[in-house]
């Protein structure tokens, strides 16, 4: 009598062949997405150069729009900002210090529009009302999650309220941190190029413009700041103000040191190349020290993944065949 073949194991109605086919399809889709992303790379400096050219036109002619579409967009943004400003002023929650602090944070995050400062303050007020009110309605009125205790509901409501209030500040802080880290990486190379330009006889604004063109692709954030500084050096009446604007836009002590050096050079006529060479050496030493610090922390960081993921897999690979052989012989 011929025995019936054992039923094939299946998970959610899918056999091993079906799983293999599904994984192959996902891998093929990932390869196609990677090829598309590699073939459609856009120039990261195109949008930044366009924004800087608009800033140049603003400084030259004092206008904020160059086309009808741009004017319409700015009019709509200004109307929305005016509504937010009037509402905040009617509630007496809009203060000049808050607006200046928000504008400074936005500039450090790479956002040039000053109207967004009012939007940030408005978001701090409206998000707790919307999200906190929605959480209170869901937890206490609708009665969702009936198995939760009163303390757990209160903690969830408090987390939604505080998180919605802090969300704009957290978003801005994250943007500023990423932009500052990107500028810190390229600052030593930028100072080396500034030294070369100064020794070649270029003026300060021409040197900044040259460095921004050379480092624009590798460090677009730093190229953006240097290009804007070059434009302000060309059109502002006081060159000191252009350097101070650079220090305000970048939340980095190294940039403040460069700005101080530039201001002293402009004021006292000291050699620019030698001062920048010393600063560049210091910044490179600091970058090497940070890299060595990260390398020294690596063994401690890798301990937990090693214990949780690598050692169990190693034990299965080494002891698995022996365990299977012993089980087969015993049975």
């Amino acid at each position: 009598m011929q025995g019936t073949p054992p039923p094939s194991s299946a998970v959610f109605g899918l056999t091993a062949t079906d799983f293999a086919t599904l994984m192959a399809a996902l891998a093929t889709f990932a390869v196609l997405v990677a090829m598309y992303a590699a073939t459609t790379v856009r120039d990261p400096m195109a949008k930044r150069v366009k924004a800087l050219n608009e800033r140049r036109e603003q400084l030259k002619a004092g206008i904020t729009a160059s086309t009808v579409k741009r004017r319409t967009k700015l009019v709509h943004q200004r109307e929305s900002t005016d509504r937010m400003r009037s509402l905040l002023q009617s509630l007496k929650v809009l203060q000049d210090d808050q607006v200046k602090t928000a504008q400074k944070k936005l500039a450090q995050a790479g956002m040039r529009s000053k109207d967004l400062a009012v939007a940030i303050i408005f978001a701090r007020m409206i998000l707790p009302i919307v999200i906190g009110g929605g959480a209170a309605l869901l937890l206490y009125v609708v009665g969702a999650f009936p198995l939760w205790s009163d303390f757990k509901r209160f903690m969830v409501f408090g987390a939604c309220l505080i998180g919605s209030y802090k969300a704009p500040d957290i978003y801005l802080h994250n943007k500023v941190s990423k932009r500052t880290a990107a500028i810190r990486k390229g600052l030593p190379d930028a100072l080396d190029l500034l030294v070369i330009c100064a020794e070649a006889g270029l003026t300060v604004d021409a040197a900044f413009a040259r460095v921004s063109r050379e480092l624009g692709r590798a460090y677009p954030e730093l190229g953006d700041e240097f290009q804007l500084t070059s434009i302000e050096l060309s059109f502002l009446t006081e060159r000191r103000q252009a350097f101070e604007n650079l220090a305000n836009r970048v939340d980095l002590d190294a940039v403040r040191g460069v700005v101080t050096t530039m201001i002293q050079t402009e004021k006292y006529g000291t050699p620019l190349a030698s001062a920048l060479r010393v600063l560049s050496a210091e910044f490179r030493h600091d970058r090497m020290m940070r890299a060595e610090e990260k390398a020294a922390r690596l063994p401690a960081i890798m301990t937990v993944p090693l214990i949780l993921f690598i050692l169990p897999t190693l034990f299965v690979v080494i002891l698995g065949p022996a365990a299977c052989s012993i089980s087969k012989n015993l049975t």
Side-chain angles (χ1 to χ4, degrees):
M1 181 177 180
Q2 186 178 4
T4 59
S8 58
S9 60
V11 180
F12 298 107
L14 299 176
T15 62
T17 305
D18 297 334
F19 274 111
T21 304
L22 182 61
M23 296 302 295
L26 290 176
T28 304
F29 178 74
V31 171
L32 292 177
V33 171
M35 293 175 61
Y36 175 78
T39 55
T40 57
V41 176
R42 296 181 180 180
D43 188 4
M45 286 297 294
K47 186 177 180 180
R48 298 176 182 276
V49 170
K50 182 179 178 181
L52 290 173
N53 289 332
E54 292 179 357
R55 175 64 175 169
R56 184 192 295 269
E57 295 298 327
Q58 293 175 13
L59 291 173
K60 288 176 63 177
I63 59 176
T64 58
S66 58
T67 60
V68 176
K69 183 177 179 181
R70 178 67 176 170
R71 289 193 187 97
T72 305
K73 183 177 179 181
L74 286 176
V75 167
H76 289 309
Q77 290 179 353
R78 183 56 61 87
E79 290 178 355
S80 301
T81 305
D82 291 339
R83 294 194 196 99
M84 296 179 192
R85 190 188 301 274
S86 61
L87 178 60
L88 293 174
Q89 288 178 350
S90 63
L91 296 175
K92 296 182 179 180
V93 295
L94 185 63
Q95 300 177 1
D96 294 337
D97 295 339
Q98 291 181 341
V99 175
K100 291 180 180 179
T101 304
Q103 289 177 353
K104 184 177 180 180
K105 289 293 183 182
L106 288 171
Q108 292 174 356
M111 302 177 185
R112 308 299 181 194
S113 177
K114 294 184 178 180
D115 295 334
L116 290 177
V118 180
I120 292 294
I121 299 173
F122 183 77
R124 291 176 187 168
M125 183 189 72
I126 201 66
L127 284 180
I129 298 175
V130 175
I131 299 179
L137 181 66
L138 184 65
L139 292 174
Y140 294 104
V141 179
V142 178
F145 307 105
L147 299 179
W148 285 8
S149 62
D150 294 338
F151 178 74
K152 189 173 183 180
R153 291 176 183 229
F154 179 76
M155 291 300 295
V156 172
F157 170 71
C160 292
L161 196 65
I162 297 174
S164 59
Y165 177 75
K166 290 293 185 180
D169 294 333
I170 294 173
Y171 173 74
L172 274 181
H173 181 72
N174 188 25
K175 294 278 290 183
V176 171
S177 299
K178 291 182 178 179
R179 185 176 176 85
T180 302
I183 293 175
R184 183 188 290 112
K185 290 180 181 178
L187 191 59
D189 298 334
L191 289 182
D192 289 338
L193 287 178
L194 280 177
V195 170
I196 295 174
C197 293
E199 291 178 346
L202 294 179
T203 59
V204 177
D205 51 348
F208 272 88
R210 181 68 179 183
V211 172
S212 66
R213 288 197 304 268
E214 294 294 334
L215 296 180
R217 292 183 178 273
Y219 307 103
E221 293 84 4
L222 184 61
D224 182 14
E225 295 297 338
F226 273 35
Q227 182 67 29
L228 184 55
T229 303
S230 174
I231 294 173
E232 290 182 345
L233 283 171
S234 302
F235 292 101
L236 291 180
T237 55
E238 295 184 4
R239 298 168 66 87
R240 179 190 181 93
Q241 185 63 39
F243 294 126
E244 291 178 351
N245 291 339
L246 176 61
N248 292 328
R249 290 194 306 267
V250 181
D251 187 17
L252 195 61
D253 293 335
V255 174
R256 297 189 187 96
V258 174
V259 167
T260 303
T261 303
M262 291 290 183
I263 293 175
Q264 290 178 353
T265 302
E266 291 282 339
K267 185 176 181 180
Y268 300 108
T270 56
L272 177 62
S274 58
L276 291 178
R277 189 179 292 108
V278 173
L279 286 176
S280 176
E282 291 180 357
F283 295 158
R284 286 189 180 279
H285 180 69
D286 292 341
R287 186 167 66 176
M288 184 62 66
M289 293 294 292
R290 286 193 300 270
E292 292 177 356
E293 182 181 357
K294 290 182 179 180
R297 290 202 311 262
L298 188 60
I301 296 174
M302 287 297 296
T303 301
V304 176
L306 180 66
I307 296 174
L308 293 180
F309 302 107
I310 299 177
L311 289 181
T313 306
L314 185 62
F315 290 153
V316 170
V317 171
I318 295 176
L319 301 179
C324 292
S325 178
I326 292 172
S327 176
K328 182 178 179 180
N329 292 332
L330 291 178
T331 57

